[in-house]
Amino acid sequence: AGSVQHRAKRPGEARAWFRRAVTLQPDGAAGWTNLGTHAIKAGAFDEAVTLLRRALALRSAEQEALASSNLGVAFMALGRHGEAVAALRAALERAPGDAEVRSNLLFCLCFAEDVDLGAVFAEHRRFERAVMPVPPAAPRFAATDRDPDRRLRVGYLSPDFQRYPGPGYHFLLPLIERHDRSVVEVTCYYNDLPKDAATARFAALADRWRDVAALPDGELEQLIRADGIDVLVDCGGHMSRNRMPLFIRRPAPVQVSLPLYPNTTGLTAMDYQFSDHRFAAASADALHTEALIRLPGSVLCYRPAESAVAPPDRPPVETEGVFTFGSFNNLTKLNAGTLALWGRVLAAVPGARLMLKWRGLSGGGVARRVLDAFAAHGVDETRLLLRGTTPDPYEDYVRLDCALDPVFANGGTTTCDALWMGVPVLSMVGEAMISRWGATMLGSVGLGALVVERAEDYVALAVRLATDRAFLDAQRAGLRGRMARSSLMDEADYTAAVEAGYRMAWRRWCAGLPPARIDMGAA
């Protein structure tokens, strides 16, 4: 009963049933595993660790893989990546072919700053061999469909056709809304159950709408084939609620990854992945199974959420008398390197403070852990402002003078949110995809000078932003307008470029040519 309520997104009822289960059977690992999973969904990650460890202590063979996997997810949410990887590998020892556990491990490795990128790529390559040891027979597609210039049937598969919890609203809605219907026919395959006002907007925009969360891969493959999809686009990679094994079956002749997931999918059946000339490092092609399509502007196009909150006329330091740095990123991005670097920033600007905002930071064990982590770098807790999430994600940006991008695992949606609220973002670029979101987004809006390559330059630039008012004002001046006019929000040009990418990939398939890198020229 608790699982049914959990699936139906009724957290209060689910927790009550799970509690009842462990009362009736305190030595039942399933009940503790369910409670731990529920705690993860509620953002109570420390509690989840305790509950899932209790489940594992009961040594129930049928629950060990799930409990270990979810323990890894909880550790990852807390930024404890080493422990997360260990827990997820322990889960794979018990269930080596479990696609969900393997995806959890791959997503976690994307955030692990001390893991070799080549090893992470090799782990991604291992996915399809582990979950489908016997590869499916090569699919056959009707030769009559090989018309390089006809209207394309494009299918988008995503669990994020909703306002929360994913980035679909910001990055998928403008693309699907702006498609030229004389060039592209759009089918949306929705791989989740909850529906909200944003879901209704996606459904109204689609030429065809399919609810597919309950369909097993075999049935979904048949549906996609029956719909005659030419280009099937994955919008989730190895993030939660994905359908990676489906793509191994190749239900469409051309398969494309839209990188809301910050890495290669690792699948030989994934033909292409979109990128851009800033987002793709020189080494990127060798670390992808997909051929990269480098778009001329930005790899993604951002649409803000509806909000009445607007950027302030003056920087907050002027009205509050103290300079405020901030980051509203997922805590899993606050790795050791980020904490150390931000500690150096605060030491170099002794009068400044840092605001952090994420689930669990309004109080309790997660907040205490963050305060202790900064204390280890000499930062007194009086200089930290911790906030939990709010219904309007923009409201607290009016208190920030400058946002700090986490190092190695850059912000994505949060960087766009900050820029839209007139807050410049200081970022450090790296080689990994996840280390290049700042470079592409800030570069797109003309703030490339705030992207550095060395920690020393990051600290020096933070000091300049906090002490040189003219420089700060120059970065903030008219930033929302500059962003609105940039490639990061040019929905028409972005969608046209994506459609051109689909067309070039499709023409290669029609000609019997294998996927190949496509460079569309820098904007």
Side-chain angles (χ1 to χ4, degrees):
S3 296
V4 169
Q5 298 286 12
H6 180 77
R7 181 82 166 155
K9 309 294 183 182
R10 298 174 185 140
E13 293 91 334
R15 181 178 174 84
W17 280 109
F18 290 150
R19 281 290 179 192
R20 178 68 174 151
V22 297
T23 299
L24 291 169
Q25 193 177 33
D27 60 348
W32 296 108
T33 302
N34 286 336
L35 267 178
T37 305
H38 180 275
I40 290 173
K41 297 291 185 183
F45 305 117
D46 278 313
E47 179 186 356
V49 168
T50 300
L51 293 166
L52 292 165
R53 279 176 164 166
R54 181 160 185 176
L56 287 168
L58 294 169
R59 297 198 173 277
S60 169
E62 61 185 27
Q63 291 294 321
E64 279 187 313
L66 179 59
S68 290
S69 177
N70 287 344
L71 180 61
V73 171
F75 278 138
M76 179 181 168
L78 292 168
R80 297 160 64 178
H81 298 111
E83 292 167 282
V85 168
L88 290 163
R89 290 201 183 281
L92 285 179
E93 289 177 5
R94 297 165 175 83
D98 190 303
E100 183 176 354
V101 177
R102 284 201 172 271
S103 283
N104 286 343
L105 173 63
L106 295 178
F107 191 35
C108 183
L109 287 173
C110 290
F111 295 86
E113 60 182 330
D114 56 350
V115 179
D116 177 73
L117 296 183
V120 175
F121 175 65
E123 196 69 64
H124 278 78
R125 287 289 298 114
R126 196 170 292 124
F127 178 87
E128 63 184 2
R129 296 192 297 271
V131 304
M132 201 171 291
V134 179
R140 300 181 63 181
F141 299 98
T144 54
D145 286 342
R146 292 178 184 262
D147 177 351
D149 298 312
R150 67 169 170 80
R151 186 187 188 206
L152 290 179
R153 295 182 291 267
V154 177
Y156 289 93
L157 174 59
S158 175
D160 288 331
F161 296 135
Q162 53 185 302
R163 179 68 185 92
Y164 288 114
Y169 177 93
H170 294 293
F171 301 114
L172 296 179
L173 191 59
L175 175 60
I176 290 172
E177 184 173 308
R178 290 282 188 162
H179 269 310
D180 181 348
R181 290 312 202 272
S182 68
V183 173
V184 170
E185 176 189 272
V186 173
T187 302
C188 288
Y189 297 95
Y190 182 42
N191 194 48
D192 206 355
L193 296 177
K195 296 182 178 180
D196 56 20
T199 313
R201 291 180 67 179
F202 278 109
L205 291 168
D207 295 294
R208 286 182 295 193
W209 176 267
R210 308 294 196 198
D211 289 300
V212 301
L215 293 184
D217 285 349
E219 291 182 25
L220 180 51
E221 177 189 8
Q222 292 174 12
L223 176 61
I224 293 169
R225 287 179 175 278
D227 286 339
I229 297 300
D230 303 312
V231 180
L232 183 62
V233 184
D234 169 63
C235 306
H238 289 281
M239 294 190 290
S240 64
R241 302 161 293 149
N242 75 71
R243 301 298 291 263
M244 281 292 100
L246 169 78
F247 284 84
I248 301 174
R249 297 168 173 262
R250 187 177 282 282
V254 177
Q255 301 191 149
V256 179
S257 166
L258 191 67
L260 298 176
Y261 175 74
N263 215 314
T264 178
T265 63
L267 305 185
T268 54
M270 195 68 75
D271 301 306
Y272 294 92
Q273 185 178 91
F274 283 111
S275 189
D276 68 39
H277 295 268
R278 299 183 188 92
F279 192 50
S283 61
D285 297 272
L287 295 173
H288 281 75
T289 53
E290 307 89 354
L292 295 182
I293 302 175
R294 287 171 169 83
L295 296 172
S298 174
V299 64
L300 296 173
C301 186
Y302 171 81
R303 178 180 291 184
E306 293 84 356
S307 171
V309 183
D313 294 330
R314 296 180 295 167
V317 64
E318 227 176 87
T319 54
E320 299 200 19
V322 57
F323 192 93
T324 305
F325 293 106
S327 171
F328 298 168
N329 279 278
N330 190 325
L331 291 181
T332 195
K333 298 184 178 185
L334 271 59
N335 51 39
T338 295
L339 292 171
L341 185 56
W342 289 356
R344 289 175 60 185
V345 166
L346 292 173
V349 191
R353 62 188 181 184
L354 173 64
M355 177 184 286
L356 302 176
K357 181 177 179 178
W358 191 249
R359 288 190 298 170
L361 283 183
S362 56
V366 174
R368 185 71 258 164
R369 188 186 303 276
V370 169
L371 293 173
D372 290 345
F374 275 100
H377 294 285
V379 179
D380 189 89
E381 63 183 64
T382 57
R383 301 181 66 194
L384 297 170
L385 303 175
L386 303 187
R387 294 272 284 150
T389 53
T390 54
D392 188 323
Y394 299 112
E395 62 184 60
D396 285 309
Y397 282 104
V398 300
R399 303 180 64 188
L400 300 188
D401 294 289
C402 173
L404 297 179
D405 203 5
V407 295
F408 186 75
N410 289 173
T413 305
T414 49
T415 294
C416 292
D417 290 346
L419 296 173
W420 181 244
M421 286 303 300
V423 180
V425 182
L426 175 56
S427 185
M428 188 162 77
V429 68
E431 185 179 1
M433 279 179 68
I434 204 168
S435 305
R436 304 186 72 83
W437 288 117
T440 189
M441 292 173 174
L442 292 169
S444 296
V445 301
L447 291 180
L450 298 185
V451 180
V452 300
E453 296 184 359
R454 303 185 311 160
E456 293 76 13
D457 296 330
Y458 189 103
V459 175
L461 201 49
V463 171
R464 185 179 181 191
L465 285 161
T467 58
D468 184 338
R469 181 60 56 81
F471 181 67
L472 175 67
D473 288 345
Q475 312 311 309
R476 293 180 62 99
L479 183 51
R480 174 174 282 197
R482 284 186 280 156
M483 183 183 184
R485 295 186 296 271
S486 76
S487 61
L488 189 54
M489 290 184 65
D490 189 339
E491 298 179 2
D493 280 2
Y494 173 77
T495 304
V498 168
E499 289 173 350
Y502 292 154
R503 181 65 61 183
M504 285 185 263
W506 173 250
R507 284 176 175 158
R508 287 192 65 85
W509 182 81
C510 289
L513 298 173
R517 169 176 169 166
I518 296 173
D519 289 334
M520 301 181 71

